[in-house]
């Protein structure tokens, strides 16, 4: 009899859960990312979206009780396609800037402001920052180089900006330190960081349509939770070579 | 010149296959036909001669309505072609009537116009099958017979481009015969042929004439007209200047125009 | 699975074998099917559109003729790429707009708000909770429509020209034998048209093959997408790190496209000789050169 009751109870619970989930998770939130910017986001060898933002995004959705799916989108059309409703949030290593804030809304940052670095072939002098510098299109780094004395060469993908330095097309590449770090570390001394660094942007946040204030609030609350319970720090430490106690 | 052979003289009015009355045709300002009367009775072989631009080909094309005359009437077996006017142009009003007429007035063209994508036999059986709804086997059987009759029975499965001009024209004649038409219309059937190939086509036409088939032949070939025709019509500037038996037209020429024409064409005179 | 268990310990050919069979590479190989699917679906649709467009342009009915002419000249006058970019977006928004009006009539807010295009959840095409494959199929379908519209217009031009190239005498002869306009069209005009259309259609097919990488431009994960994705340099975040190998991946695509166009060329050569109206190259060729029939 006890046996039966427990089975019945389990079934009832399962039914209740299913009902709950079908109401709570009714709305699917589509998360748009680039999938080409390790360690923030990239497509791993299994063909799945992976990286820091994958884990952060999944956890945020869990906390906010949202049913989330991932969508890949090229960087240069990532904001227009959010606006036209192809997905509901951008989570793609996008720095919070005033310019972007005019078009879309941002959540609070889930990755702190990070200095941008110059990376070049070994033996390159620091004066290369005034030479030909590559950067990804529509990034704050590209915006900064365009304003500086350097000559900007833009590429659609992060990978191409690095290929340009290796092939000698550009004297240096200008990007987030977190992105460049691995290339320098694994180059066996072929690639180096130049001395100058620049602080740009207000940290990395999620981009959300301006009309979608409810979703922004949900994610802001979830990010708060992750900051408080230390899970965000743990993920940062995991993906960014042991950076500790950021938040 | 010897008297041309005469056949099938016993023609009565009820045997009229095709009658054209008062045909006028113009292209813009250019009057090509200025009131032509023509009657073809069963067994008639009518040769139409005249210089280029005299309107003889146009008249033939009017006969099966490839051209529409602005004035005049056409009777086929006594049945009058019906007309109506659309955007100031007179056109035949009864499509079925037109098709019925055309199916009964098979045409042989100067350039043969065999359908290039079909074999010779397919060319011959195409219209009998699609227009006359003939049984395919029957049509094929008749087609082979006719091709054998015109002397190219061995070319059934060849394509037009594999045949000489003379062979193509004979195939075109077989195609016209396959319709078992009330009359055949020949539009300069030998003009596109080299002289040595011309003879084989003329022979076939001659055979048909001897069988008593009704034919209207537009030609430059005065010898053929003389040998084959029962009646010769000389057209000049859109009018019939002279007509009669071959003997009358060629040997007892009355009009100066025809004399001049025959002289310039070099065959007679 | 054991064979490739720990990529970091693998070397040489074994590493390469494991690398080339990762799930990500399998997606790359599958994407070739996307290209074939595009060709297989687009080609017949293009032929139908081309035929329809050409017939419309030759139509006796004036509005139909204008429509045909407008269609073909519009596509001819605009760079293809504009169409490839415009048609999917325009169609997508048009469909969603229509669904919005039907499914959410109670929402009175305008759909276009400043720079945003907002339709209700139920009007999303596909619905946002649809599986990824539904989204992929939808964008693929939009791409197929864009391709069909553009290449259909080209085909219409080719077929229109080919219909006009058939000698008038061939058709007149059919009429002279009592064939109806319809019979003349289908039994004489169309069969002969192929001879004149085939060179143009063959060319069009080649252009279509070579235009398939435009899928990439439409955000579809085709072979170009995966070649670029897989070829890019991979750091230690990946199981199989490697430098920039894009050259090799694009070389593979180059070979693929060369093979495909080469094979197509062979097939079209066969078709061309089969539909040729000049059979005089046949061994049974007569000694006398036939006179071209009324051309």
């Amino acid at each position: 009899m006890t046996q039966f009751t427990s089975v019945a109870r389990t079934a009832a619970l399962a039914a209740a859960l299913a009902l709950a989930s079908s109401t709570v998770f009714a709305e699917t939130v589509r998360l748009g990312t680039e999938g080409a910017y390790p360690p923030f986001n990239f497509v791993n060898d299994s063909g799945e979206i992976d990286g820091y933002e994958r884990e952060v995004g999944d956890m945020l959705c869990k906390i906010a009780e949202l049913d989330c799916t991932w969508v890949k989108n090229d960087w240069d059309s990532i904001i227009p396609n959010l606006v036209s409703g192809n997905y509901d949030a951008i989570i793609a290593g996008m720095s919070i800037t005033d310019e972007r804030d005019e078009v879309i809304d941002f959540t609070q940052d889930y990755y702190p402001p990070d200095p941008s670095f110059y990376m070049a072939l070994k033996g390159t002098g620091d004066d290369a920052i005034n030479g030909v510098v590559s950067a990804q299109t529509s990034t704050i780094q590209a915006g900064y180089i365009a304003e500086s004395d350097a000559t900007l060469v833009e590429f659609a993908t992060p990978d191409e900006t690095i290929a340009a330095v290796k092939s000698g097309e550009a004297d240096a590449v200008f990007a987030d330190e977190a992105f460049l770090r691995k290339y320098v570390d694994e180059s066996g001394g072929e690639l180096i960081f130049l001395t100058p660094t620049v602080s740009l942007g207000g940290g990395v946040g999620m981009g959300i349509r301006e009309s979608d204030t409810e979703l922004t609030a949900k994610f802001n609350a979830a990010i708060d939770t992750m900051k408080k319970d230390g899970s965000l720090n743990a993920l940062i430490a995991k993906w960014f070579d042991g950076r500790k106690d950021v938040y | 010149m010897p008297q041309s052979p005469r056949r099938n003289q016993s023609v009565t009015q009820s045997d009229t296959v095709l009658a054209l009355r008062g045909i006028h045709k113009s292209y813009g300002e250019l009057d090509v036909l200025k009131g032509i009367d023509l009657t073809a009775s069963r067994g008639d072989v009518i040769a139409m001669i005249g210089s280029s631009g005299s309107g003889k080909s146009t008249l033939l094309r009017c006969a099966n309505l490839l051209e529409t005359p602005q004035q005049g009437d056409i009777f086929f077996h006594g049945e009058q072609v019906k007309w109506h006017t659309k955007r100031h142009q007179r056109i035949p009003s009864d499509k079925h009537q037109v098709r019925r007429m055309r199916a009964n007035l098979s045409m042989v063209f100067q350039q043969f116009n065999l359908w290039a994508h079909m074999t010779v036999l397919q060319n011959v059986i195409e219209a009998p099958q699609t227009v006359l709804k003939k049984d395919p086997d029957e049509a094929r059987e008749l087609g082979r017979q006719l091709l054998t009759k015109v002397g190219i029975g061995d070319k059934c499965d060849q394509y037009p481009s594999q045949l000489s001009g003379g062979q193509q024209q004979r195939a075109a004649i077989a195609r016209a015969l396959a319709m078992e038409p009330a009359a055949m219309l020949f539009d300069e059937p030998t003009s596109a042929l080299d002289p040595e190939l011309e003879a084989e086509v003329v022979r076939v036409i001659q055979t048909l004439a001897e069988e008593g088939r009704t034919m209207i032949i537009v030609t430059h070939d005065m010898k053929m007209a003389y040998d084959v025709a029962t009646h010769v019509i000389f057209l000049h500037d859109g009018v019939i200047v002279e007509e009669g038996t071959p003997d009358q037209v060629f040997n007892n020429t009355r009009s100066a125009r025809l004399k001049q024409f025959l002289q310039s064409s070099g065959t007679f005179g | 699975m054991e064979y490739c268990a720990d990529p970091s310990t693998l070397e040489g050919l074994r590493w390469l074998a494991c690398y080339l069979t990762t799930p990500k590479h399998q997606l790359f190989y599958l994407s070739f099917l996307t290209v074939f699917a595009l060709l297989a679906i687009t080609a017949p649709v293009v032929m139908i559109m081309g035929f329809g467009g050409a017939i419309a342009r030759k139509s006796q009915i004036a509005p139909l003729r204008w429509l045909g002419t407008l269609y073909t000249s519009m596509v001819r006058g605009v760079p293809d790429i504009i169409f490839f970019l415009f048609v999917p977006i325009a169609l997508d928004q048009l469909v969603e707009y229509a669904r919005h009006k039907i499914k959410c009539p109670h929402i009175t807010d305008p759909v276009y708000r400043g720079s945003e295009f907002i339709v209700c959840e139920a009007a999303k095409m596909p619905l946002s909770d649809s599986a990824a494959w539904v989204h992929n199929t939808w964008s693929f379908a939009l791409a197929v429509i864009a391709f069909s519209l553009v290449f259909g217009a080209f085909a219409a031009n080719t077929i229109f020209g080919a219909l006009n190239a058939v000698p008038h005498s061939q058709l007149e002869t059919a009429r002279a034998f009592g064939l109806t306009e319809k019979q003349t069209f289908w039994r004489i005009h169309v069969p002969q048209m192929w001879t004149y259309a085939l060179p143009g259609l063959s060319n069009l097919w080649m252009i279509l093959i070579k235009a398939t990488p435009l899928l990439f431009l439409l955000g579809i994960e085709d072979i170009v997408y995966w070649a670029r994705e897989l070829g890019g340099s991979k750091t230690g975040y990946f199981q199989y790190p490697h430098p920039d190998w894009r050259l090799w991946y694009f070389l593979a695509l180059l070979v693929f496209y060369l093979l495909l166009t080469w094979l197509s060329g062979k097939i079209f050569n066969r078709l061309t000789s089969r539909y040729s109206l000049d059979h005089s190259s046949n061994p049974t060729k007569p000694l006398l050169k036939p006179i071209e029939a009324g051309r």
Side-chain angles (χ1 to χ4, degrees), chain C residues 18-116:
Chain C
C18 288
Y19 170 70
L20 289 176
T21 51
T22 58
K24 200 172 177 181
H25 271 87
Q26 288 167 21
L27 290 174
F28 174 49
Y29 306 140
L30 268 178
S31 67
F32 281 86
L33 290 184
T34 312
V35 175
F36 286 122
L38 177 78
L39 291 173
I41 299 169
T42 307
V45 177
V46 161
M47 285 309 297
I48 294 166
M49 304 262 310
F51 222 91
I55 293 175
R57 262 179 83 177
K58 280 190 89 74
S59 172
Q60 303 284 328
I61 307 155
L64 203 61
R65 194 168 58 242
W66 296 331
L67 198 73
T69 312
L70 180 76
Y71 169 51
T72 48
S73 49
M74 192 172 69
V75 175
R76 198 165 44 177
V78 176
D80 320 351
I81 242 169
I82 305 289
F83 267 95
F84 287 122
L85 293 175
F86 170 79
V87 171
I89 296 173
L91 261 181
D92 197 32
Q93 294 202 352
L94 190 73
V95 169
E96 291 196 340
Y97 186 84
R99 281 167 63 94
H100 179 80
K101 288 283 166 213
I102 295 161
K103 301 217 169 193
C104 311
H106 54 279
I107 297 179
T108 49
D109 295 337
V111 170
Y112 287 96
R113 271 175 257 166
S115 61
E116 298 188 16

Side-chain angles (χ1 to χ4, degrees), chain B residues 167-217:
Chain B
Q167 291 168 332
Q168 287 192 54
Q169 192 60 299
R170 284 185 281 156
I173 293 170
R175 174 172 69 175
L177 284 170
M179 294 299 282
E180 297 172 326
M184 293 172 78
L185 311 177
F186 290 78
D187 188 4
E188 309 250 17
T190 56
S191 301
L193 299 173
D194 295 338
E196 65 266 34
L197 301 176
E198 210 178 314
E200 60 192 41
V201 173
V202 171
R203 243 187 335 268
V204 170
I205 295 173
Q206 196 139 25
T207 312
L208 297 178
E210 280 157 14
E211 288 171 3
R213 287 183 189 271
T214 314
M215 302 193 278
I216 303 177
I217 306 170

Side-chain angles (χ1 to χ4, degrees), chain B residues 61 114 126 161-163 192, chain C residues 170 172 187 279 282 286 290-291:
Chain B
R61 292 165 61 82
L114 290 171
E126 172 62 26
S161 56
Q162 293 168 308
L163 267 54
Chain C
Q170 292 275 315
E172 184 181 67
R187 300 192 59 87
H279 299 83
N282 192 296
I291 292 165

